[in-house]
Amino acid sequence: MSDELVQIETPFAFNEENQREFNELIGRYPIKEAAMLPTLHLAQKQAGYITPAVMKYVAEQLEVTVMKVKDVVTFYPMFFEEPVGEYVIRVCHTLPCALRDCKVVLDHLKAKLDTDIASETNLAKGTTADGKFTLMKVECLASCDVAPVIMVNDDLYKNLTPEKVDEILNNL
Amino acid sequence: MVEERRILYEHLDVPDINTFDVFRQYDGYARFEKAIAEYQPDDIAKMVMDSGLKGRGGAGFSTGLKWSFVPKDIKPCYLCCNADESEPGTFSNRYVLEKNPHLLIEGILICCYAMGIETTYVYIRGEFTLGKKMLDAAIKEAYENGYLGKDIRGTGLNVDIYSHPGAGAYICGEETGLIESLEGKRGQPRNKPPFPAVEGVFSKPTVVQNVETLCNLPFIVGNGVEWYTQMGPTYADTRSDPPTPDPNTGTKLYCISGDVNEPGVYELDLGLTCSELIEVAGGLRGEEVKAVIPGGSSAPILTHYELDTRLDFTSLTLAKSMLGSGGIIVMNETRNIVDCLLNIMKFYAHESCGQCTPCRWGTPWVRDIVQRIADGNGRKDTITRPKFGVAENGRWGDTGETEEIYEDLDLLESVANNIANVDTMTWNTICVFGIAVSWPAVSYLRKFRPEFEAAIREGKLVTLPIAEATVPPEENYAYQQRFVPKEFADL
């Protein structure tokens, strides 16, 4: 393999803080492979999304094949294999939220951000042109009593109306 | 009106109850201290067995019985706490994790003491970022105060608790799926047996318990079995002679959402009826109840004929539904059942893990059929076929009437029943996800068939008045074998 091919991707390595956290994680399990999900979360937090270089690095750290890491990454919806916006907006659209008009919230977000809804295989579709937001539909977020709800990165917003959505977007 | 009885949620709204010091002021860890001071591990296991505590995660399996399957001589043994709350309509664990995480830790400690477990993994769903943060902080405090770690309170007991984040897969709430996921693989469920109690995570005996189940333990130990069994009904299982008691004891964190005025979590004794619960939750938002989902979206739907069904494990099983995780979703007269089923089927088609062929292909197929009906393209056969039944001469045969064939409805039931057959309760898949798909599909169809037929006939979604939309119990196979269980004390 030529050097060019290898260097298409920027290599990935944990920064100091994440390395410390990773070292602590690995001690929790009798086998290294078990730390897969927390490690991938950590790597995604640092890199933004899971690139092939990230998978390679995680595989080396956990002493498994790259294919095994890929296997896991493709299974779980929370791991992204494509770049996403700075803010990932997850809109719940399962039954309890649907009964409380989550569609109004979703349509409002679509119009306001002028973007489509991302699908798992095409995240770019739901990402705004400036790369600031990614809009996606997700299944039940376990907050049905305060429906409709959305999650913006790690924060949950409850009892939404189009006005509240505007307020949230303005405050970001 | 039925009164709330707050036990698990009693101190939920106390400010700073998530901190160790405040939790201590409200009897925190006192029940654990009582357990290690007054009881042997086996005594605790016996108390849990006698209390009749049933797993609150969905299957409703006796916790004491589950513990008794764990071999005593194989070490280490693990505890996995299932905090992967993803069943649509369920949200009680989130509040425990976010507001009162020390209660969960105390429950885990009691379970670990009873079972001789030293390592616990709390599998938290990836979206619960706040819940994980609060739990991690509570675990840290518990370590600092000597309630976790090595040689706890000088008893020689060692317990470590680690939180483990999921990554958004519904199937990881299934116990063997959770175990696979915890081992760092795809969360695809395993064949049973061997059951996790014998061979679970890292091939070692594993106890998998829901958050709510574990939170019950401090109160069983603290207040005693007698106090606990007073709450909730104990039915008589008359399949055996003499009848054996079938306990539905304790309180349940009922999560009610949808068309009610005050959705939320209500902690009530097991065994109240559906209409009582709606009343507790501020009454219906709308004119009339059209349907109620009693136990998360997997549970077969109840119609307005069945609102007197008691919401406990036994009664709902006999009503051919289930209490599941206790997520109750109420729908009023404006809701279209085809539309609701479409929403749920989209969920299952998305969440099928893809391991077993009937489920991998069946769930999108079911979704597509419902989508077709909802879009107004449902297939109807124009040929009418003779209707078979008891003819005028009293014999089985052609009754002389004809019926229209709604091809898509037959297909829908057939595909769903081939993922898992709801009549024989056999599934062609490894885990019970199959039955979680076909239960809603078939029950919605059988109980609200006129609405499906109308959608096909009219070529669009039609919301019928409740009386027309619902199939009466006496005309419907879905309701058969239904009877009201007798309480053990009445025998």
Side-chain angles (χ1 to χ4, degrees), chain A residues 25-45:
Chain A
L25 273 177
I26 210 91
R28 297 178 172 188
Y29 308 93
I31 54 169
K32 278 190 172 178
E33 192 189 341
M36 182 81 82
L37 294 187
T39 309
L40 282 169
H41 275 298
L42 212 57
Q44 181 162 283
K45 205 170 74 186

Side-chain angles (χ1 to χ4, degrees), chain A residues 24-25 27-31 33-38 41 68 70-72 74-79 90 93-96 98-101 120 137-146 151 153-156 158, chain B residues 78 85 88-91 94-95 121 123 125-129 162-169 171-172 181-187 202 257-258 260 263-264 285 293 329-331 335 343-344 347 350-351 353:
Chain A
E24 201 241 320
L25 273 177
R28 297 178 172 188
Y29 308 93
I31 54 169
E33 192 189 341
M36 182 81 82
L37 294 187
H41 275 298
K68 258 197 163 165
K70 173 102 182 165
D71 199 34
V72 171
T74 51
F75 185 81
Y76 296 95
M78 281 182 82
F79 298 130
R90 296 180 162 92
H93 73 294
T94 313
L95 189 58
L99 295 177
R100 294 265 171 174
D101 296 331
E120 265 168 44
K137 288 204 283 190
V138 291
E139 302 299 351
C140 191
L141 289 171
S143 303
C144 317
D145 53 339
V146 287
M151 261 181 102
N153 289 348
D154 286 350
D155 301 318
L156 186 81
K158 308 161 181 179
Chain B
Y78 293 99
E85 185 171 52
T90 318
F91 42 91
R94 174 193 276 273
Y95 289 118
Y121 297 103
Y123 190 101
R125 70 176 290 192
E127 288 89 343
F128 282 4
T129 34
Y162 305 117
S163 67
H164 183 101
I171 196 62
C172 295
S181 180
L182 187 59
E183 289 183 357
K185 299 178 217 156
R186 300 182 138 222
F202 311 124
S257 60
V260 288
R285 200 180 62 152
I293 301 175
I329 308 170
V330 181
M331 294 171 219
R335 306 301 176 186
N343 186 299
I344 292 178
F347 172 81
H350 180 260
E351 296 296 345
C353 80

Side-chain angles (χ1 to χ4, degrees), chain B residues 393-414:
Chain B
N393 59 7
R395 294 190 169 204
W396 179 265
D398 184 357
T399 54
E401 299 162 40
T402 52
E403 62 175 343
E404 276 185 313
I405 303 171
Y406 292 93
E407 201 186 326
D408 262 350
L409 300 187
D410 294 348
L411 184 66
L412 174 62
E413 186 162 335
S414 156

Side-chain angles (χ1 to χ4, degrees), chain A residues 5-159:
Chain A
L5 268 178
V6 179
Q7 283 176 11
I8 286 175
E9 284 274 2
T10 1
F12 174 86
F14 278 138
N15 59 28
E16 210 173 297
E17 190 197 333
N18 286 345
Q19 183 66 46
R20 219 178 9 251
E21 202 168 321
F22 172 75
N23 291 343
E24 201 241 320
L25 273 177
I26 210 91
R28 297 178 172 188
Y29 308 93
I31 54 169
K32 278 190 172 178
E33 192 189 341
M36 182 81 82
L37 294 187
T39 309
L40 282 169
H41 275 298
L42 212 57
Q44 181 162 283
K45 205 170 74 186
Q46 188 183 323
Y49 67 105
I50 311 276
T51 62
V54 172
M55 286 188 222
K56 188 162 168 282
Y57 179 77
V58 170
E60 280 162 11
Q61 297 294 309
L62 300 178
E63 293 166 17
V64 293
T65 59
V66 182
M67 201 56 229
K68 258 197 163 165
V69 182
K70 173 102 182 165
D71 199 34
V72 171
V73 170
T74 51
F75 185 81
Y76 296 95
M78 281 182 82
F79 298 130
F80 305 128
E81 284 188 271
E82 289 172 61
V84 287
E86 189 187 340
Y87 297 103
V88 177
I89 304 178
R90 296 180 162 92
V91 184
C92 176
H93 73 294
T94 313
L95 189 58
C97 276
L99 295 177
R100 294 265 171 174
D101 296 331
C102 70
K103 201 168 176 307
V104 177
V105 173
L106 189 64
D107 288 344
H108 184 74
L109 274 164
K110 261 168 77 175
K112 181 99 184 168
L113 300 175
D114 189 23
T115 176
D116 208 349
I117 301 159
S119 73
E120 265 168 44
T121 46
N122 187 358
L123 292 169
K125 198 170 78 173
T127 308
T128 50
D130 58 1
K132 203 169 174 199
F133 298 101
T134 298
L135 180 64
M136 53 170 64
K137 288 204 283 190
V138 291
E139 302 299 351
C140 191
L141 289 171
S143 303
C144 317
D145 53 339
V146 287
V149 292
I150 64 169
M151 261 181 102
V152 181
N153 289 348
D154 286 350
D155 301 318
L156 186 81
Y157 296 93
K158 308 161 181 179
N159 291 325

Side-chain angles (χ1 to χ4, degrees), chain A residues 29 37-38 41 75-76, chain B residues 79-86 93 97 104 108 120-126 128 132 135 161-175 177-187 208-209 211:
Chain A
Y29 308 93
L37 294 187
H41 275 298
F75 185 81
Y76 296 95
Chain B
L79 170 63
C80 291
C81 170
N82 188 344
D84 188 71
E85 185 171 52
S86 9
N93 294 354
L97 292 167
L104 175 61
I108 290 173
T120 300
Y121 297 103
V122 182
Y123 190 101
I124 301 190
R125 70 176 290 192
F128 282 4
K132 184 168 183 299
L135 181 69
I161 302 181
Y162 305 117
S163 67
H164 183 101
Y170 169 75
I171 196 62
C172 295
E174 203 273 349
E175 56 177 1
L178 184 148
I179 286 169
E180 284 282 302
S181 180
L182 187 59
E183 289 183 357
K185 299 178 217 156
R186 300 182 138 222
V208 186
Q209 301 285 198
V211 171

Side-chain angles (χ1 to χ4, degrees), chain B residues 16 59 122 141 158 171 214 225 347 405 445 447 456 485:
Chain B
D16 297 327
V122 182
E141 274 187 310
N158 309 323
I171 196 62
L214 289 168
V225 173
F347 172 81
I405 303 171
L445 176 59
K447 294 185 179 182
I456 297 181

